[in-house]
């Protein structure tokens, strides 16, 4: 994954899409996801659903956590 320019925010959709495409979440993915979510004043229902999907995927083992 390439390093993103800090002035160009990455959408939660794109980050989650990548996580599920590769069935893994890297430290970079985690940082990008946290940054994208913390930059917002609130999290909408769709974003909450996506976060829950990632969390459940990690819990069930369908998404690996890698360094």
């Amino acid at each position: 994954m390439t390093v993103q320019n800090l002035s160009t925010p990455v959408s939660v959709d794109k980050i989650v899409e990548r996580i599920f495409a590769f069935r893994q979440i890297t430290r970079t993915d985690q940082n990008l996801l946290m940054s994208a979510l913390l930059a917002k004043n609130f999290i909408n229902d769709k974003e909450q659903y996506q976060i829950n999907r990632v969390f459940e995927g990690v819990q069930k083992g369908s998404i690996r956590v890698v360094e």
Side-chain angles (χ1 to χ4, degrees):
M1 177 170 220
T2 61
V3 176
Q4 298 290 324
N5 184 345
L6 294 178
S7 64
T8 307
V10 180
S11 74
V12 173
D13 286 337
K14 294 293 183 188
I15 300 165
V16 171
E17 182 180 303
R18 184 203 177 286
I19 291 168
F20 279 97
F22 289 98
R23 296 208 173 279
Q24 68 181 22
I25 184 168
T26 65
R27 181 68 68 190
T28 301
D29 295 327
Q30 292 172 21
N31 289 335
L32 287 171
L33 192 55
M34 287 174 48
S35 295
L37 293 169
L38 292 173
K40 298 174 170 282
N41 291 329
F42 67 94
I43 299 172
N44 64 36
D45 290 340
K46 180 181 179 185
E47 292 165 334
Q48 183 65 50
Y49 173 74
Q50 291 173 317
I51 298 306
N52 288 341
R53 280 184 59 215
V54 171
F55 183 71
E56 289 171 5
V58 170
Q59 280 188 317
K60 292 178 182 178
S62 60
I63 295 176
R64 293 181 308 136
V65 178
V66 297
E67 287 296 316

